[in-house]
Each structure stands twice: as C-alpha cells, then as structure tokens.
Amino acid sequence: MRVGIVAQRGNARAAYLAADIGEMLAARDAETWYDTETADAIDVDGTPVEEFDRCDLVVSIGGDGTFLFAARGAGSTPILGVNLGEVGFLNAVSPDDAVTAVREEVERVAETGSVRAREVPRVQAEGGQEWSLTPALNEVVVQGPKRGHGQGVEMEVRVDGSLYTAGHADGLLVATPTGSTAYNMSERGPLVQPGVPGFIVNDMCATDTMPPLVVPLDAEITVRVDGADEVVVSADGASRYHVEIPEIITLTRADEPARVAGPESDFFQALNKLE
C-alpha cells in the first residue's frame, strides 16, 4: 500500500504528526510519499503532490486549504483529513486520533482491498477544445481582471441552454455543496448541506442581480463573457487560466469525483464555529 502525506506548510505540529504517521506506516511495510514541502520540513525525500493520484490513500494534515491542495494532486484517490484548523468542514479526524485513523484504513485495505470513502462532486471548467482546469472541489470562479465599480465583464449565463441571467457583473461563481461554506458564502450564496446533489450558480455584484440558483449535478452551465480584454477562470483559487474574450466557458460535473476517507465531519457543528 502507498500512502501520500501532505502537512500544512510552516506548521511544525503538522510536520511532526506527518513523521509519526510515516513511522507507523513503515512498521506495517506501507510505502509513504511526502509532498515536497512536507519532505523538506522533516528532511526526507519528497514527491510532487501532482503524482499523489498514484497513491492508495492521501492524508492531509492541516486546515481545509491543505485538504484542497492535496485534492488537486490526488484525483480520485481517497483523502483522509486531519484537522489542525479552526473549522474543519473537510477534516474530521482530530490530531490525537490521526495515527489510529490512518492505521485503521491501512488495516481495512489489507482486509477488504479498498479504503472506506464517500464521493463528493467536483466542477470542471473548460473552453472549447483548447483548455480545461483541474476539477474544483469547492468552486470555479469566472471574473474580470479587476473587481469593483467600473470593472467586471458582460456575461450571459445559461443552464442547459436556457437563459438564467445576462448583464454586467464582477463575475460568476459555481460552487459544489462542499464549497458552499467557502467563497460562495462570502458572496452571499446559500449554505448547502453535504449530500445535496446540486451546484450553486451565484453571480458576483451584478448590475441586474439574480438570486443564487441551485441546479442539478448533471446540468451544463455556459458563460459567455465579453466587454474586457480578458477574464480569469480559477478552480479553488489556485488553478488559473487567463482567457481572451469573447469566449464561452462551460462548467459541468467532473468525470471523477473527489473521495473523502475516514469519518464524516459534523456539518452543523462546524457551522457553529463560524459565529
């Protein structure tokens, strides 16, 4: 079995915990990969996180940002999140339970051949046959090069070919249920309980704004953009593409979902931490 470990950058506690988990895995003849930043912190050989889709399990130690970083390389490999952050929507395992939780998953694989995991949808952004972004676990954002008065772009947003909204806006955000508590919430989008099968379509500071819309996971969302030199399309705030316009950007459910291993976090308990 091969386990990838990603520890929060600059967090000594996360690095120490990564080393402890690695020692446990070595004692069980499991192969351990550390991403390059984690490897530097504990002075071992590292592997780029982009190769972690070749692992059987990925362990993320930190906050939700660390989990998203791990997810960009993990593909459909299950990710077990250890929570060192404040809220922990994606990370359900406490630091004290981390070594035990990983050991249980290793033992489960030895007994059953698979990791216990639940699937969560991701959203894919692409433009024609020319480009596509890494699928987003939280959200894809389409926006002009700058936000604010006198900035933004002209947008026409359609859902399965039917017009939803058109006009001037800072941009458009399409979030998964997982991402409803992230950027979407700061743009006054609705909270969506995990397991609800839909994406949130949320325009950003539109001149003629429409309420945020929840659409089925199999919906096709198209965004025609114009009125600026370019737009920036980003997935989970990291993977970015600068698009010359006019352009039509298509947003759909990614072929491969993300897979979250271990126990499920208490959504409402995590919400209470936001107060």
Side-chain angles (χ1 to χ4, degrees):
M1 183 176 183
R2 178 184 294 152
V3 179
I5 301 178
V6 180
Q8 187 176 50
R9 295 180 182 181
N11 187 323
R13 187 184 185 194
Y16 290 141
L17 190 50
D20 289 344
I21 293 172
E23 289 180 4
M24 179 274 295
L25 292 170
R28 283 161 176 75
D29 296 324
E31 183 180 3
T32 305
W33 283 6
Y34 301 93
D35 80 287
T36 51
E37 293 284 345
T38 303
D40 288 344
I42 60 176
D43 196 24
V44 296
D45 293 334
T47 303
V49 73
E50 291 79 11
E51 298 182 23
F52 275 26
D53 58 349
R54 297 162 56 194
C55 295
D56 300 293
L57 174 69
V58 173
V59 180
S60 168
I61 307 169
D64 286 350
T66 305
F67 194 103
L68 291 176
F69 174 73
R72 288 198 289 275
S76 60
T77 297
I79 307 170
L80 187 149
V82 179
N83 185 31
L84 297 184
E86 294 296 325
V87 180
F89 285 105
L90 292 170
N91 305 285
V93 176
S94 71
D96 291 342
D97 297 332
V99 175
T100 299
V102 177
R103 183 175 63 244
E104 288 177 350
E105 294 304 331
V106 171
E107 293 171 350
R108 183 184 300 274
V109 171
E111 293 174 2
T112 68
S114 63
V115 175
R116 173 186 58 174
R118 63 190 183 279
E119 296 184 348
V120 293
R122 298 186 294 175
V123 59
Q124 175 80 65
E126 58 187 0
Q129 302 298 316
E130 298 179 1
W131 61 271
S132 63
L133 293 183
T134 301
L137 180 57
N138 270 359
E139 76 280 313
V140 168
V141 176
V142 180
Q143 66 181 61
K146 294 182 180 180
R147 297 194 63 176
H149 182 71
Q151 305 294 332
V153 293
E154 298 296 324
M155 297 192 314
E156 179 186 273
V157 182
R158 294 182 176 271
V159 177
D160 291 331
S162 296
L163 183 64
Y164 165 58
T165 186
H168 193 85
D170 281 0
L172 182 82
L173 181 152
V174 176
T176 67
T178 303
S180 75
T181 56
Y183 197 177
N184 168 72
M185 187 169 66
S186 69
E187 293 291 335
R188 299 185 178 182
L191 297 175
V192 176
Q193 191 170 357
V196 173
F199 291 133
I200 305 161
V201 184
N202 188 359
D203 61 22
M204 301 162 64
C205 298
T207 302
D208 298 312
T209 189
M210 287 287 286
L213 175 69
V214 178
V215 302
L217 289 176
D218 60 358
E220 180 183 82
I221 304 154
T222 56
V223 189
R224 180 178 176 84
V225 286
D226 206 341
D229 293 333
E230 66 174 15
V231 295
V232 180
V233 187
S234 63
D236 288 338
S239 178
R240 298 174 183 269
Y241 194 82
H242 292 255
V243 182
E244 294 183 359
I245 56 178
E247 170 72 298
I248 296 178
I249 298 158
T250 302
L251 304 166
T252 55
R253 175 168 52 175
D255 291 336
E256 286 190 342
R259 301 177 67 206
V260 182
E264 190 167 359
S265 62
D266 187 318
F267 178 70
F268 294 99
Q269 185 180 60
L271 281 181
N272 289 333
K273 295 178 182 179
L274 295 174
E275 295 180 354

